[in-house]
Amino acid sequence: MIILGIESSCDDTSVALIETNSSTLSYSPSDNGENFVVLAEKTASQIEVHKKYGGVVPEIAGRMHAENIMPLIECVLEEAEIATVVPTKSGLLRNDSHFKPDVIAVTSGPGLITGLLVGVEAAKTLSYLWDVPLVSVNHIDGHVHSVEIRNPKLETRNQLVFPALCLIVSGGHTELLLMENHDKYKLLGKTRDDAVGETFDKVAKLIGFDYPGGAKISQTAEGGNTKAINFPRPMLDKGYEFSFAGLKTSALYWLRDNVNKQPTTYNLQPTTLKNFCASFEQAIIDVLTTKTLRAVKEFKPKTVIIGGGVSANKKLRNELDRQLKTIGSELLAPNLRYSMDNAAMIAVAGYYKAKKKNYTNWKKIEANPNWRLA
Ligand code: KG4
Ligand code: ZN
């Protein structure tokens, strides 16, 4: 099956074509699971534009998605046609029949309505014109399935075994979910206020890093003293809910009390900056690992998954994996390039819906910015 994935819920317009269990695979699919190969993918990031405003501006995001979506789809389809060139005894035979995928999978929520509308309208139009079925994918479901995309370098794949515990950490979401199968999730807890990525980005802004500053904080934190500043670990002892607004405020108060403010940002000396970033990052890692381990002990999942932009944080991945191993579990994390928003993960999540013929008619699909997975 070939699936066209479309993602436009935030500030990346992304299109991907993936193929599963087909004769073009150069290796055999395992007995109990699917193999996914990314045939072509293109993402247009809007970060350079939103950076100037210190965050995503929905109106601008919508316009840019609208400008980018069709050229990206065209580009990905062209690449895929090249991929269908087949060797024959007399040379290469180009398959010139008009290419169309078997299914279109589109993110229809949650996210910014201005972006979601663009992806959904494009998907609807193609579904109608090509007469190809459409599946509506939840963005969080996409992040969960990002761990299944084949890692071309390692020649390995991650196998989801249920029940699975999923920690989704991104700029817009912080959730712990228990996944019973590909379409049944139970929410264990989510953030009551800011998402983890949002907290990283807001604190990064205070110390003068460009939006989104999460990755810059973790780079700067390398080699820093994680105990230099004793930041709070909000709600550490309580269940599975999260709260990061207090940690953000405490970082602000520490800067206000200890560092000189330039016109817009706090100006830290290099060592202090390193220690500040390391201590702040550690507070977040402690909260996320403690709650994930608590859930593993209570629910005994067969797989533990991390997904979302913040899962690109290597220290978080390593620390979580190390701690999970001490209790006989281990972490499934996406290939780094699939931590961030991308359409390949939407296509993979869409595949499981298509397999069950869980289609949505193009006349009925709607963008839903508040779509809750559980
Ligand atoms: O999943 P994503 O691409 O978009 C949303 O759905 O929100 O996540 C983007 C978020 C941003 O907040 C960014 O700062 C954060 O992921 N992020 C990181 C790292 N890389 C990206 N946060 C901490 N450490 C990183 N290495
Ligand atoms: Zn995301």
Side-chain angles (χ1 to χ4, degrees):
M1 189 191 293
I2 294 187
I3 305 122
L4 175 70
I6 299 178
E7 156 65 38
S8 60
S9 67
C10 190
D11 57 352
D12 289 304
T13 324
S14 184
V15 178
L17 259 188
I18 66 157
E19 179 167 31
T20 179
N21 285 3
S22 118
S23 56
T24 60
L25 297 182
S26 56
Y27 56 99
S28 5
S30 70
D31 298 340
N32 47 5
E34 317 293 343
N35 276 301
F36 299 100
V37 171
V38 180
L39 298 177
E41 61 185 324
K42 285 275 176 284
T43 298
S45 165
Q46 305 176 1
I47 281 179
E48 285 307 313
V49 177
H50 296 296
K51 212 183 233 182
K52 293 180 216 147
Y53 305 94
V56 179
V57 183
E59 165 79 17
I60 297 176
R63 279 167 183 260
M64 293 190 72
H65 283 305
E67 279 165 26
N68 289 327
I69 193 107
M70 287 317 295
L72 289 182
I73 291 173
E74 191 184 27
C75 205
V76 160
L77 292 180
E78 267 173 24
E79 244 184 75
E81 273 188 316
I82 292 161
T84 62
V85 170
V86 285
T88 65
K89 278 184 188 153
S90 51
L92 291 177
L93 174 73
R94 186 178 158 94
N95 181 356
D96 272 329
S97 60
H98 178 65
F99 175 84
K100 56 181 188 176
D102 300 304
V103 180
I104 301 168
V106 63
T107 307
S108 45
L112 295 174
I113 187 68
T114 51
L116 293 168
L117 278 173
V118 173
V120 167
E121 288 306 312
K124 253 161 100 166
T125 311
L126 292 175
S127 166
Y128 170 74
L129 289 174
W130 286 339
D131 194 21
V132 161
L134 191 58
V135 288
S136 168
V137 175
N138 183 295
H139 183 77
I140 305 290
D141 195 26
H143 276 304
V144 169
H145 285 92
S146 66
V147 299
E148 282 200 84
I149 305 169
R150 184 180 169 223
N151 179 337
K153 284 203 183 121
L154 297 176
E155 291 286 326
T156 59
R157 58 181 293 280
N158 289 322
Q159 174 89 46
L160 300 193
V161 186
F162 301 114
L165 178 74
C166 315
L167 174 68
I168 300 302
V169 277
S170 74
H173 308 275
T174 305
E175 301 185 356
L176 260 174
L177 296 145
L178 200 61
M179 186 184 186
E180 281 170 37
N181 54 50
H182 286 285
D183 45 24
K184 193 163 178 212
Y185 289 90
K186 183 180 166 205
L187 179 69
L188 301 182
K190 65 183 172 78
T191 181
R192 292 183 174 181
D193 39 59
D194 293 353
V196 185
E198 187 182 359
T199 313
F200 265 108
D201 297 341
K202 284 179 175 166
V203 169
K205 193 173 172 185
L206 293 174
I207 51 178
F209 295 166
D210 280 345
Y211 171 85
K216 183 84 190 282
I217 290 197
S218 70
Q219 267 168 27
T220 312
E222 272 173 41
N225 177 1
T226 54
K227 296 197 171 95
I229 305 165
N230 187 19
F231 284 124
R233 272 79 172 144
M235 300 180 73
L236 195 66
D237 302 327
K238 288 195 210 120
Y240 302 112
E241 295 224 300
F242 301 90
S243 167
F244 292 103
L247 172 60
K248 176 189 68 191
T249 310
S250 132
L252 171 66
Y253 287 172
W254 189 88
L255 291 167
R256 193 190 60 188
D257 297 343
N258 294 279
V259 185
N260 289 333
K261 195 176 184 206
Q262 298 299 302
T264 53
T265 55
Y266 291 90
N267 189 19
L268 284 78
Q269 297 307 311
T271 310
T272 318
L273 180 66
K274 220 174 209 342
N275 291 342
F276 174 89
C277 290
S279 303
F280 170 76
E281 182 183 53
Q282 192 60 48
I284 289 188
I285 292 175
D286 285 351
V287 172
L288 296 175
T289 49
T290 303
K291 296 205 179 229
T292 307
L293 262 80
R294 182 176 298 146
V296 171
K297 285 176 193 158
E298 182 174 348
F299 299 101
K300 304 189 174 38
K302 298 222 169 70
T303 357
V304 181
I305 293 167
I306 189 169
V310 181
S311 72
N313 186 298
K314 289 192 190 139
K315 187 157 190 214
L316 170 63
R317 282 178 176 222
N318 294 341
E319 186 62 17
L320 195 50
D321 190 43
R322 189 187 65 74
Q323 292 199 31
L324 283 169
K325 283 191 173 121
T326 65
I327 56 166
S329 184
E330 68 181 313
L331 189 66
L332 295 189
N335 183 325
L336 276 182
R337 67 186 294 184
Y338 298 115
S339 279
M340 308 303 277
D341 288 351
N342 67 87
M345 69 184 193
I346 301 303
V348 174
Y351 163 75
Y352 288 103
K353 296 188 109 178
K355 203 171 148 191
K356 291 189 171 171
K357 303 215 172 345
N358 189 359
Y359 303 131
T360 306
N361 188 286
W362 67 267
K363 286 182 191 158
K364 301 234 171 93
I365 192 166
E366 276 178 14
N368 178 358
N370 304 314
W371 181 7
R372 298 213 52 80
L373 194 54

